[in-house]
Amino acid sequence: MPPLNPDVADLAPTDPALTPYDEEHLVTYWRMLDADAEGADWREVAQIVLHINSEREPDRARQAFESHLARARWMSDFGYKLLLRHGWPSPTHARRGE
């Protein structure tokens, strides 16, 4: 079961395959998509979902917001198909680059 509210990296993955980070942040991606569908302000999403204060770190917050929203969209368009076909990558294989 993925964590409900994990801390995030400054940038989400851009790999064309699922990553262990994706598995850990699946709920984050859902929350990002929900916020986007509701038209939420990116600064509020950065604070609540990504745990980054957009007033103190506006560039970092915006970059994290954009990269995680892009990854969330990728997951909803492509990643879920990979998940259904192959399942999550094992942490051992991900570390070795397999």
Side-chain angles (χ1 to χ4, degrees):
M1 180 80 168
L4 296 179
N5 201 16
D7 288 331
V8 299
D10 287 351
L11 293 173
T14 57
D15 304 46
L18 295 170
T19 69
Y21 185 91
D22 293 324
E23 180 179 13
E24 182 179 342
H25 291 85
L26 187 58
V27 174
T28 301
Y29 298 151
W30 289 337
R31 293 176 73 198
M32 295 291 295
L33 292 171
D34 285 345
D36 185 55
E38 292 175 7
D41 184 279
W42 74 267
R43 291 172 285 268
E44 194 174 327
V45 177
Q47 177 72 42
I48 295 169
V49 178
L50 304 178
H51 315 133
I52 301 172
N53 186 318
S54 63
E55 289 183 21
R56 281 197 320 248
E57 300 179 280
D59 294 337
R60 178 177 172 241
R62 184 64 184 219
Q63 185 175 24
F65 170 82
E66 289 178 0
S67 74
H68 283 81
L69 181 57
R71 189 60 172 190
R73 289 177 177 152
W74 178 86
M75 286 291 294
S76 72
D77 292 341
F78 303 103
Y80 82 93
K81 294 174 189 173
L82 297 172
L83 179 60
L84 292 174
R85 265 188 238 134
H86 307 291
W88 290 109
S90 80
T92 303
H93 291 157
R95 270 182 283 179
R96 292 186 302 187
E98 296 176 5

